[in-house]
Amino acid sequence: MSKADYCYSKLSALREGKGVKYYVFGVVTTNPVERSTAGSDSLLMFSISDESVKESIQVRIFFQQPPKDVQIGNIIRLHRVYFEEWKSKQTSTKCIIVKKFMSYCIFAGCHGDKPDELLFSSSEHPSFTESNSTRIKELRNWWRTVSKKLPNKDEESQANPYMKQLIDLTGETLSHVDVICKILQFRDISHNNPLKALIWDGTDDICKSTVQIDNLSFVPEFGVIHCLNIWPESLQHFPKEKALDSWISFKFLRTGVYNGNIELNTTKQTKFILLPESAPEIQKKLEIIRALDSAIFPSSFSLENSNNSDTNLKTSTVGCSLRGEEEKVYKSALSVTLHEHIPLTTLKDVQQFKNPVHKFRASVKVVNHWPENITEFTRPYCFTCKKSLPKDLKNSNELVCNLCNTGNCKWVYFFCLKVNDETGSLVLIVFNDAQFFQGVPPTDLENSNVSRDTIKAKVDSLLHSGQRFTCCIKSYIQNQERKYQIFDTTVL
């Protein structure tokens, strides 16, 4: 190999920019998926990572001759590549684009004996330097540490060679496939045709779908969505009422391609079992899903000394009304809000709205919360100092601020909800809203079992009911950062 020195970037340093080219190393973290394009090229998609990022970054290689040895754990070196936003009908994502004039090499991963163990190269005479050798050793050591924490997929494959993840399915016709997945939606067809179910198992770190998902009430942020045809011969035994939003083990499915899209089909031999989240195989899937979760909750958050009162908030036709206007109550299955006359807004529009101080109303799906412990949803707060009281004052008979020595203190709700809709996700703060949980004013949840259990039941309903949660949102600026807070909303 010839010698050449390039300036390589860590993946965390990639920035979108027209004409900006990067040189990077990364470890392959997902199995490659091949797609055809409108032209003569084909497209190979997979994800890579390194020690500088918490989320994998997708790579899209356009090729005429397919790259070899793109396997999980192997190391790829990319030269002169772009980092751009890739848009489709369903989603958009920032990814590394590799075109014909760009070069890449695949090196052996943790199993490699030598740093320069080259498995594949797009050029005839690839360069290799001592710094390349050092970087490959670093990535191998990092991946050895990371991979120990991931479920062992090889063991599962050896135990059941027919078990597949949805990301592994290609255009190849298979007569026997087993999958474990969750049903997101049923689409009823006439009695002579199959019941179509949209299935998802959380594999892959962006959301990809082989079916139309425009009317899907909740679109996951990541994972492959396929169509499963449940034919009448299987439907008579299928627990449709219990299956929606549940984990199900399907055995003896077959795969095929219809209108260019992968579909799964039941057969006369198909068996299905509803699995609880406590099942070992589901716990393994949840480990992977949690690792892929692209929204990371802050280790701490603060409203203290913030200036986000209603007098600073403006509204328009996409936001909620001011309190001075006539207020009407809007009721959904999970919540009650004011400002019925204001149209619902998508989370994408909320985040892209030009005025950073504004009010909105949105219909969303709650997918997580922080803190994880329900007993930490409340805290004592001083409204004179605008600060939380120290924890050692929580158990005192009277709440008195240790800074201003006043009793202008009371218990408040203080936590975050992560919410999704079809356009994106957002972290919403709940603060000082005594009516947020209907009939449960904020108090010391460590010493109130009734309040704690009631709140836990309401939170579980938000997370697991599969229904939309309608809320009013106000945005404001604190410490030069835009934040979002729920207001005028009551959870039933």
Side-chain angles (χ1 to χ4, degrees):
M1 297 182 185
S2 60
K3 300 284 184 179
D5 287 321
Y6 298 99
C7 181
Y8 291 92
S9 301
K10 295 285 184 70
L11 296 182
S12 61
L14 301 185
R15 299 290 184 270
E16 187 179 5
K18 188 175 182 180
V20 179
K21 297 179 181 178
Y22 288 98
Y23 297 78
V24 297
F25 275 92
V27 179
V28 179
T29 58
T30 62
N31 290 311
V33 176
E34 187 174 333
R35 295 282 188 269
S36 59
T37 66
S40 59
D41 291 344
S42 294
L43 172 64
L44 191 72
M45 298 181 294
F46 56 95
S47 295
I48 64 173
S49 187
D50 68 11
E51 70 277 21
S52 71
V53 294
K54 295 180 179 179
E55 306 163 24
S56 296
I57 294 177
Q58 190 183 84
V59 177
R60 292 174 176 251
I61 296 180
F62 293 87
F63 65 90
Q64 290 184 333
Q65 295 296 325
K68 299 179 181 179
D69 297 299
V70 179
Q71 299 175 4
I72 294 177
N74 281 347
I75 295 170
I76 188 169
R77 188 187 72 181
L78 300 163
H79 280 191
R80 301 186 302 277
V81 297
Y82 296 131
F83 186 64
E84 300 176 352
E85 183 174 20
W86 185 273
K87 295 183 179 180
S88 66
K89 292 182 179 179
Q90 285 82 29
T91 186
S92 65
T93 184
K94 291 182 179 179
C95 57
I96 296 172
I97 306 296
V98 185
K99 298 184 178 180
K100 293 179 183 178
F101 57 86
M102 304 170 182
S103 65
Y104 48 91
C105 296
I106 306 292
F107 297 93
C110 298
H111 60 277
D113 296 325
K114 299 178 180 179
D116 62 348
E117 188 174 340
L118 181 66
L119 302 178
F120 177 83
S121 174
S122 62
S123 59
E124 293 184 7
H125 304 289
S127 62
F128 193 81
T129 66
E130 187 62 32
S131 63
N132 289 173
S133 175
T134 301
R135 185 62 182 138
I136 290 173
K137 290 178 182 178
E138 291 174 350
L139 288 173
R140 283 177 178 172
N141 291 333
W142 170 75
W143 183 247
R144 286 189 185 101
T145 302
V146 171
S147 58
K148 289 178 181 178
K149 302 177 183 178
L150 298 176
N152 191 332
K153 183 183 172 185
D154 292 336
E155 292 179 1
E156 295 180 9
S157 299
Q158 292 171 8
N160 181 4
Y162 299 105
M163 181 60 68
K164 302 291 183 182
Q165 295 180 341
L166 296 186
I167 191 177
D168 297 330
L169 300 179
T170 63
E172 179 184 5
T173 300
L174 300 174
S175 59
H176 182 180
V177 171
D178 298 345
V179 299
I180 296 176
C181 59
K182 179 174 282 192
I183 294 181
L184 300 181
Q185 187 186 67
F186 288 115
R187 295 182 176 177
D188 288 305
I189 311 294
S190 65
H191 67 280
N192 293 324
N193 292 314
L195 171 69
K196 291 186 176 293
L198 302 192
I199 60 174
W200 169 87
D201 67 354
T203 53
D204 204 0
D205 55 1
I206 65 169
C207 182
K208 299 180 199 170
S209 177
T210 58
V211 293
Q212 280 295 113
I213 57 175
D214 295 341
N215 60 343
L216 191 61
S217 61
F218 167 59
V219 180
E221 291 181 66
F222 48 82
V224 177
I225 300 174
H226 279 320
C227 178
L228 168 63
N229 295 315
I230 306 175
W231 291 89
E233 58 198 11
S234 300
L235 189 57
Q236 57 183 333
H237 304 294
F238 185 71
K240 180 182 175 182
E241 292 75 16
K242 298 180 180 180
L244 188 63
D245 203 33
S246 298
W247 288 102
I248 303 181
S249 171
F250 289 95
K251 294 189 176 181
F252 295 100
L253 300 176
R254 59 182 172 84
T255 65
V257 177
Y258 180 73
N259 287 340
N261 295 323
I262 300 170
E263 288 192 345
L264 295 89
N265 295 272
T266 60
T267 65
K268 292 182 179 180
Q269 294 79 31
T270 296
K271 299 178 180 179
F272 26 77
I273 302 174
L274 290 173
L275 296 174
E277 288 194 356
S278 57
E281 53 267 60
I282 302 304
Q283 286 298 308
K284 288 182 179 180
K285 282 195 172 291
L286 292 177
E287 283 183 45
I288 298 174
I289 290 171
R290 281 191 285 266
L292 289 173
D293 193 350
S294 58
I296 300 173
F297 282 95
S299 57
S300 63
F301 61 94
S302 172
L303 286 174
E304 293 161 6
N305 295 318
S306 63
N307 189 15
N308 63 336
S309 63
D310 284 335
T311 56
N312 297 321
L313 295 167
K314 299 179 181 179
T315 59
S316 70
T317 56
V318 299
C320 293
S321 67
L322 290 171
R323 292 182 182 271
E325 301 176 15
E326 181 182 357
E327 297 177 344
K328 298 180 181 180
V329 174
Y330 174 83
K331 184 175 181 180
S332 66
L334 297 177
S335 63
V336 172
T337 66
L338 299 179
H339 322 296
E340 179 186 12
H341 64 286
I342 301 300
L344 294 174
T345 307
T346 66
L347 293 183
K348 181 178 179 180
D349 288 338
V350 170
Q351 296 174 83
Q352 293 183 350
F353 194 71
K354 293 181 179 180
N355 187 349
V357 182
H358 205 76
K359 288 183 176 182
F360 311 88
R361 194 167 65 92
S363 179
V364 297
K365 175 73 170 62
V366 178
V367 296
N368 211 336
H369 59 77
W370 186 91
E372 294 182 1
N373 190 343
I374 299 293
T375 60
E376 298 178 11
F377 271 28
T378 62
R379 63 179 65 180
Y381 188 85
C382 176
F383 285 86
T384 300
C385 299
K386 297 190 181 299
K387 288 185 176 294
S388 300
L389 298 185
K391 291 185 177 181
D392 56 359
L393 296 181
K394 288 173 62 175
N395 297 323
S396 60
N397 294 328
E398 295 184 3
L399 294 178
V400 178
C401 179
N402 61 329
L403 295 178
C404 65
N405 200 32
T406 68
N408 188 23
C409 309
K410 65 178 181 179
W411 285 90
V412 297
Y413 286 116
F414 207 164
F415 61 94
C416 280
L417 295 176
K418 177 189 170 186
V419 299
N420 281 353
D421 70 3
E422 62 277 4
T423 66
S425 65
L426 197 61
V427 174
L428 304 178
I429 297 171
V430 177
F431 171 72
N432 187 31
D433 195 337
Q435 302 303 318
F436 184 74
F437 293 111
Q438 186 180 44
V440 190
T443 186
D444 185 355
L445 298 179
E446 291 183 358
N447 296 318
S448 178
N449 294 339
V450 174
S451 294
R452 182 179 66 246
D453 293 345
T454 303
I455 291 174
K456 185 178 186 306
K458 292 178 182 290
V459 172
D460 287 344
S461 178
L462 290 175
L463 287 171
H464 305 303
S465 69
Q467 300 182 53
R468 292 279 186 136
F469 163 64
T470 302
C471 60
C472 294
I473 303 169
K474 56 184 177 183
S475 63
Y476 60 95
I477 296 295
Q478 181 186 356
N479 298 329
Q480 298 182 338
E481 180 182 355
R482 186 181 295 197
K483 296 188 177 183
Y484 304 90
Q485 181 179 341
I486 293 177
F487 75 104
D488 283 353
T489 301
T490 299
V491 177
L492 301 177

